[in-house]
Amino acid sequence: QVQFVESGGGLVQSGGSLRLSCAASGFSYDYGYYVVGWFRQAPGKEREGISCISSRDDSTYYADSVKGRFTISRDNARNMVYLQMNNLKPEDTAVYYCATGPLIVIDYGRRGRPIGDLFRHWGQGTQITVAS
């Protein structure tokens, strides 16, 4: 059974940094073509796809809201995907999730098309709170 587990959330001051981790079980980052994506959902708001990384060529997608501040990366040896978040802002406060999807979501995201429904195996999420 495929399962993703997010970790690394917490409370941070505005301008601070955090690194989120997405660990996979029943799924190897070493094999096949896929995308791992990070999403977030704040209370009363829709889920937002914020970053994805492709296993085929490490191509990435970033939402405009996080571009230049967040960096996605993967470590196949540890079966992990990371999201380094710098210069955090109060509007980054949300529950953050990771999941896996098809390669096409990189192109869809760059074209501004919705991608959330293409992802599977959602984790339970990790809360990030950015204090002003």
Side-chain angles (χ1 to χ4, degrees), residues 2-40:
V2 177
Q3 186 175 10
F4 287 84
V5 178
E6 305 90 346
S7 61
L11 173 64
V12 64
Q13 294 295 314
S14 181
S17 298
L18 284 173
R19 189 178 79 157
L20 300 184
S21 300
C22 175
S25 61
F27 182 92
S28 173
Y29 287 154
D30 260 338
Y31 300 103
Y33 293 148
Y34 57 86
V35 164
V36 175
W38 284 98
F39 294 76
R40 67 186 180 187

Side-chain angles (χ1 to χ4, degrees), residues 14-68:
S14 181
S17 298
L18 284 173
R19 189 178 79 157
L20 300 184
S21 300
C22 175
S25 61
F27 182 92
S28 173
Y29 287 154
D30 260 338
Y31 300 103
Y33 293 148
Y34 57 86
V35 164
V36 175
W38 284 98
F39 294 76
R40 67 186 180 187
Q41 189 163 20
K45 294 189 177 181
E46 292 187 356
R47 181 180 59 194
E48 178 188 15
I50 56 173
S51 186
C52 303
I53 186 165
S54 165
S55 70
R56 184 173 64 183
D57 56 8
D58 282 336
S59 57
T60 57
Y61 158 76
Y62 295 96
D64 288 343
S65 57
V66 305
K67 199 172 294 182

Side-chain angles (χ1 to χ4, degrees), residues 80-101:
M80 299 283 279
V81 169
Y82 303 103
L83 186 68
Q84 178 66 42
M85 305 181 295
N86 298 328
N87 191 22
L88 283 161
K89 305 174 181 180
E91 52 263 42
D92 294 318
T93 295
V95 178
Y96 285 68
Y97 303 89
C98 63
T100 185

